[in-house]
Amino acid sequence: MTSADELRNKQQLYFDDLEVGQEMPPLVIGPLTSTHFFRWSAAIENWHRIHYDQNFAIYHEGLPTVLGQGSWKQSILPRYLKDLCLPNGWAWKVNFQHRTMIVPGDTVTVWAKVTSLSIVDGLGMVELDVGMRLDYGAESCPGKAVIVLPLRGGRPVPYPFVPPKAEALQEGAE
Amino acid sequence: MSHWITIGTNVAWADFDNFQKALKSTPCWRIDNKTTITAVFALEGNRALVECQAQEKSSFLNWMERVGFVPDEVSEALYVARGGDVWKLRKL
């Protein structure tokens, strides 16, 4: 896990420092327990019993045990991308699939790998493959993301970020 | 999904460390997308009671063979009561 102090004092990651195929520093969370799942259910007021009632999950729903929430995954991946971009980049887009279920005992490694780099309007567009790998090798959330990073000596990434026009993106990709 | 209970023998599981090693990590008890070892009780005399949820009984039998568990018999469970939680089990 990344501490708050580490995030407050994080050095900026610059577009210039990346290359295609580069793996970003992973975020490891776990082993997860049913307490993590219950805490998330309480935090977002998701009272579906499959997340905290093991008897219900197994005997009523036919599930292996209680399950980690999809919404938890949906919070962790953007958080990971946001942390990569801090302090002055922007996690622009992410999409992913929910595949392997996360259950108590699993340890999750959130990862990203650079697939494409382009400069648009003076900003660094970084396309990534992303996911959440479980400790036994299964992929729980394969997906793709775009983060925006400043260039060394370049203009700052606007806050809030304003997506470039489609034509500019097209030019950057060429 | 159906549930099966078996009672039988596995000498290795009499040792707690072996028991934990054999059953703790997710792939040990989540055999595949349709087969879960939902509970295992190690009993006196190298005996154990195992509960399995699966689409097919054969999945459970295959797992037993793989881990070296020798069953006396395998029965399908119809209902379960756990601390006042009562459920019908067949054909979930």
Side-chain angles (χ1 to χ4, degrees):
Chain A
M1 295 287 280
T2 315
S3 72
D5 269 347
E6 285 172 326
L7 292 177
R8 281 189 201 103
N9 299 312
K10 182 176 172 288
Q11 295 295 305
Q12 179 64 52
L13 176 66
Y14 286 96
F15 176 83
D16 319 57
D17 300 331
L18 297 178
E19 49 189 58
V20 172
Q22 185 169 335
E23 295 184 4
M24 310 304 278
L27 170 67
V28 179
I29 305 173
L32 294 164
T33 67
S34 55
T35 308
H36 288 101
F37 301 162
F38 180 76
R39 185 175 61 180
W40 184 257
S41 283
I44 67 162
E45 299 192 1
N46 169 358
W47 303 119
H48 199 307
R49 291 165 70 184
I50 61 172
H51 301 303
Y52 57 86
D53 183 340
Q54 191 183 42
N55 286 343
F56 179 85
I58 294 172
Y59 299 124
H60 188 269
E61 295 292 304
L63 294 167
T65 183
V66 291
L67 306 181
Q69 294 89 343
S71 56
W72 179 80
K73 299 192 232 179
Q74 287 165 222
S75 82
I76 292 298
L77 255 175
R79 172 191 138 189
Y80 169 68
L81 295 167
K82 178 265 295 175
D83 290 351
L84 288 178
C85 295
L86 283 176
N88 295 318
W90 189 268
W92 183 19
K93 295 194 275 194
V94 60
N95 70 75
F96 58 88
Q97 300 173 349
H98 291 287
R99 292 202 188 165
T100 306
M101 294 184 278
I102 296 176
V103 297
D106 288 343
T107 295
V108 169
T109 299
V110 190
W111 61 273
K113 187 175 181 180
V114 178
T115 58
S116 170
L117 296 164
S118 57
I119 298 173
V120 177
D121 287 349
L123 299 174
M125 302 285 160
V126 183
E127 293 186 30
L128 302 160
D129 280 343
V130 297
M132 298 177 80
R133 196 175 298 117
L134 305 183
D135 47 327
Y136 55 94
E139 178 52 64
S140 185
C141 284
K144 295 190 177 298
V146 180
I147 60 175
V148 184
L149 296 175
L151 279 67
R152 287 187 187 279
R155 72 181 180 102
V157 177
Y159 181 91
F161 177 65
V162 180
K165 291 191 168 62
E167 309 86 70
L169 282 172
Q170 183 65 32
E171 282 172 23
E174 286 169 359
Chain B
M1 286 295 186
S2 297
H3 288 252
W4 284 276
I5 303 288
T6 185
I7 189 160
T9 306
N10 187 318
V11 176
W13 294 353
D15 177 80
F16 181 76
D17 288 341
N18 285 344
F19 182 77
Q20 184 164 256
K21 191 175 173 188
L23 295 161
K24 187 166 172 61
S25 78
T26 304
C28 294
W29 55 268
R30 195 170 170 222
I31 310 307
D32 58 44
N33 286 345
K34 301 287 184 185
T35 311
T36 304
I37 304 302
T38 44
V40 181
F41 290 84
L43 310 174
E44 289 179 319
N46 300 330
R47 314 270 293 156
L49 184 149
V50 184
E51 174 192 339
C52 175
Q53 173 175 255
Q55 200 89 19
E56 304 293 340
K57 183 179 177 181
S58 58
S59 304
F60 189 25
L61 297 174
N62 290 342
W63 174 81
M64 284 189 265
E65 188 176 349
R66 186 157 54 79
V67 301
F69 184 90
V70 182
D72 294 350
E73 60 177 301
V74 182
S75 303
E76 186 172 356
L78 303 180
Y79 321 117
V80 63
R82 296 186 73 121
D85 246 359
V86 180
W87 307 97
K88 291 181 180 177
L89 295 180
R90 213 175 231 175
K91 307 298 178 203
L92 275 171

